[in-house]
Amino acid sequence: MPENYITCQDEHGSINISEDVVQSMVRSVITEVDGVAGLASSAGTELAELLGIKSAAKGIKVQIVDGVVNVDTIIQVRYGCNAVKVAEAVQNVVASTVQSMTGMGKPVVNVHISGVAFEK
């Protein structure tokens, strides 16, 4: 299988989940977290490139390393919100979503804050 699939093996065979599918689910739940203004924008382009995210607009990278799902996200926080609490909320919702979606153990979720979004 291509390396961009998360594979779950059991006695019945294997299940392969595209990393793109996991990215879509993660994107969906992140945008619902209170205090998140959005995923990476042009301000997060350099950080995204360092993390190996091909499109900074996506702001999410999913990998499987040694049987553990690793998720890197780049977000912007709304002005006036506690950045640490927002990042922790993102970590919690992403971890529970990925774990329930893949059936694998608890993932590693890294949240990178690329900026603050001000009200217009």
Side-chain angles (χ1 to χ4, degrees):
M1 294 295 342
E3 60 186 275
N4 60 340
Y5 280 83
I6 295 170
T7 302
C8 306
Q9 287 280 85
D10 67 10
E11 67 274 2
H12 302 294
S14 67
I15 298 171
N16 302 297
I17 305 169
S18 169
E19 289 175 357
D20 290 339
V21 171
V22 178
Q23 284 178 344
S24 295
M25 293 299 294
V26 168
R27 183 178 304 106
S28 174
V29 298
I30 286 176
T31 57
E32 295 176 10
V33 174
D34 189 39
V36 173
L39 291 166
S41 66
S42 58
T45 302
E46 291 175 9
L47 180 59
E49 289 173 359
L50 287 172
L51 294 172
I53 297 173
K54 293 179 183 92
S55 170
K58 287 186 177 181
I60 299 167
K61 181 179 179 183
V62 177
Q63 291 181 297
I64 189 161
V65 179
D66 297 328
V68 177
V69 178
N70 291 318
V71 180
D72 282 285
T73 65
I74 305 173
I75 64 170
Q76 287 194 332
V77 176
R78 265 195 232 112
Y79 177 76
C81 295
N82 182 314
V84 173
K85 288 185 180 181
V86 172
E88 287 173 344
V90 168
Q91 282 180 318
N92 291 335
V93 73
V94 169
S96 66
T97 299
V98 170
Q99 190 172 14
S100 67
M101 189 178 139
T102 64
M104 297 180 75
K106 190 166 183 155
V108 173
V109 181
N110 300 305
V111 178
H112 307 275
I113 300 172
S114 69
V116 176
F118 296 89
E119 294 293 323
K120 293 181 181 182

